[in-house]
Amino acid sequence: NLNQQMFYELEHYGDVMQQDFTEDYRTLTNKSMMALTWTRRYCPSAQYILKTDDDAFNVPQRYVDYLLHVKQERFVGGYCFTVMPDRRDGSKFYVPESMFPDKYYPTYCSGPGYMLSRAAVDAILNIAPNVTWIPMEDVYVTGLCRVAAGIQYIQISGTAMDQSFMTACNLAMWVKNGHNIVPERTPVLWQRVLEKPLTCEAWHSATVCCMALFLAFWCKHLWTLARHPGLHIHTQLLAF
């Protein structure tokens, strides 16, 4: 049963965390805050924290590629947007006006995969006791607490993608996180990541080359016009 599986996991791998609240979709916020608290205590050297769902697929290499160029100390990023709160009584996303009266949520990053810097985690945990709790964990963490902490959000392309985007080339080049991935699909997707098809690299190189030629053409064109202001030049653009 589930309890036996949990104790087996704890005994053999020691990676089970437990806190005093009921296991339910409406306690996702509690789980996420518990996880962030755990990372602050036990992962002091971690520069970034990835919060992800159990039905998500992640490509660590693509995240590393992206984060190498991040300069912000307080960083919260992912697929970020805003929606109206769900007022339908009985919906698992239900949030009554008494809990959150505003017409729209603050911009937040979708739960299947959002990234936080260590400084952002500290700021969010520090401000959280002063922020009204809601059960939508991604809204609470990356929306309400982020805004209260004065942290700007950052869009990260290739996160919270559906399976149609998870081709070999996309996984090799820019897709970082997929959503609604059943366990049976994980080995297939991971094999695509490991293969890193040469055709994708060739396509990428060809694209870069074409763009360089395009820019060189226009630089020459603008230089010619600058030298001869009265000259009228007919040009034909090539679509790459």
Side-chain angles (χ1 to χ4, degrees), residues 24-46:
D24 186 78
Y25 187 84
R26 305 288 289 182
T27 58
L28 284 180
T29 298
N30 305 66
K31 291 186 195 178
S32 293
M33 297 304 292
M34 175 184 69
L36 293 181
T37 301
W38 187 91
T39 60
R40 179 161 70 174
R41 180 175 181 182
Y42 294 104
C43 308
S45 61

Side-chain angles (χ1 to χ4, degrees), residues 105-170:
Y105 288 134
T107 299
Y108 67 96
C109 305
S110 186
Y114 57 79
M115 183 73 66
L116 309 95
S117 67
R118 176 56 184 249
V121 170
D122 290 341
I124 286 172
L125 289 175
N126 290 339
I127 201 69
N130 301 319
V131 178
T132 301
W133 183 93
I134 65 171
M136 304 296 102
E137 65 87 15
D138 45 9
V139 178
Y140 181 78
V141 175
T142 70
L144 298 177
C145 289
R146 175 189 63 78
V147 171
I151 304 173
Q152 293 186 338
Y153 69 90
I154 297 176
Q155 292 284 5
I156 303 178
S157 65
T159 57
M161 310 300 293
D162 63 41
Q163 291 200 46
S164 63
F165 287 92
M166 305 191 77
T167 64
C169 285
N170 288 345

Side-chain angles (χ1 to χ4, degrees), residues 53-240:
D53 287 351
D54 61 356
D55 63 344
F57 179 83
N58 298 283
V59 188
Q61 299 97 311
R62 301 293 81 78
Y63 275 111
V64 172
D65 293 342
Y66 179 85
L67 292 171
L68 286 174
H69 302 285
V70 170
K71 304 300 182 183
Q72 294 90 334
E73 181 182 1
R74 302 204 307 171
F75 172 91
V76 175
Y79 172 51
C80 310
F81 56 94
T82 187
V83 295
M84 299 173 67
D86 191 339
R87 306 300 191 192
R88 299 172 297 171
D89 191 7
S91 168
K92 71 176 185 177
F93 305 114
Y94 174 62
V95 173
E97 289 188 57
S98 59
M99 181 179 290
F100 184 82
D102 294 356
K103 186 176 181 180
Y104 286 92
Y105 288 134
T107 299
Y108 67 96
C109 305
S110 186
Y114 57 79
M115 183 73 66
L116 309 95
S117 67
R118 176 56 184 249
V121 170
D122 290 341
I124 286 172
L125 289 175
N126 290 339
I127 201 69
N130 301 319
V131 178
T132 301
W133 183 93
I134 65 171
M136 304 296 102
E137 65 87 15
D138 45 9
V139 178
Y140 181 78
V141 175
T142 70
L144 298 177
C145 289
R146 175 189 63 78
V147 171
I151 304 173
Q152 293 186 338
Y153 69 90
I154 297 176
Q155 292 284 5
I156 303 178
S157 65
T159 57
M161 310 300 293
D162 63 41
Q163 291 200 46
S164 63
F165 287 92
M166 305 191 77
T167 64
C169 285
N170 288 345
L171 288 167
M173 294 172 60
W174 66 280
V175 169
K176 305 167 185 66
N177 165 270
H179 190 210
N180 291 324
I181 308 298
V182 296
E184 293 77 15
R185 290 290 296 165
T186 299
V188 177
L189 295 175
W190 188 243
Q191 188 59 40
R192 292 179 185 175
V193 173
L194 296 178
E195 287 173 357
K196 195 177 183 180
L198 295 178
T199 54
C200 298
E201 293 183 344
W203 177 86
H204 179 67
S205 298
T207 301
V208 171
C209 182
C210 288
M211 290 302 299
L213 290 173
F214 178 80
L215 292 174
F217 169 82
W218 269 104
C219 286
K220 181 180 179 181
H221 173 71
L222 294 174
W223 179 76
T224 302
L225 289 179
R227 290 192 62 194
H228 307 282
L231 183 63
H232 181 67
I233 299 178
H234 293 279
T235 60
Q236 180 180 7
L237 298 181
L238 300 178
F240 297 106

